[in-house]
Amino acid sequence: IDYHLPMFGAFHNCVFIKIKKEYPYQARKVMHSIWGAGQMMFTKFIIVVDDDVNVHDEQDVLFHVGANADPRRDTVIVDGPLDILDHASPYHGAGSKMGIDATRKIVGEGIVREWPGELVMTDEIKTLVDRRWSEYGF
């Protein structure tokens, strides 16, 4: 649906991907598709999130990594080409890459626990908080 190349990743070293998940392991398919697409083969970190996450908001993406990803179940590590300017790689132009499936899990993706809905403030409450923010002492 959307993607973002955050500045902290020197753009192509990290990508956030938003998908509308329709089948098990779709996030992994997307990761491998990205690693197979031209210059995106150099992408060192891929984080895939659901369609209700704002990939242009790094805090929103990282929240969903913490809320939806189990390190053993949802992390993929592969070897392949990296940017020759990446001095963290063990070899000149080659090393490992990580994909993180930060989507909500569905049947077919291992043990699936009930997922609670996210808490959302109403517009009325947001307006009240904004109006009284200075009173709260923050």
Side-chain angles (χ1 to χ4, degrees), residues 71-123:
R72 186 177 323 272
R73 178 191 60 206
D74 300 321
T75 301
V76 176
I77 297 179
V78 299
D79 294 317
L82 292 174
D83 190 319
I84 60 171
L85 299 175
D86 183 353
H87 300 290
S89 64
Y91 304 103
H92 186 73
S96 61
K97 310 163 193 228
M98 181 189 312
I100 300 173
D101 176 356
T103 62
R104 289 180 296 279
K105 302 307 164 277
I106 60 176
V107 173
E109 294 182 308
I111 298 171
V112 178
R113 295 177 57 205
E114 184 176 331
W115 241 255
E118 286 188 39
L119 297 176
V120 179
M121 286 190 287
T122 64
D123 289 337

Side-chain angles (χ1 to χ4, degrees), residues 3 26 31 35 38 43 52 54 60 64 69 81 84 128-129:
Y3 70 96
Q26 183 177 358
M31 291 173 202
W35 284 319
T43 305
D52 59 341
N54 179 0
D60 195 21
H64 286 88
I84 60 171
L128 175 64
V129 170

Side-chain angles (χ1 to χ4, degrees), residues 18 29 62 68 93 113 115 120 126:
K18 178 195 293 202
K29 179 183 178 187
L62 293 176
N68 296 340
R113 295 177 57 205
W115 241 255
V120 179
K126 288 178 186 178

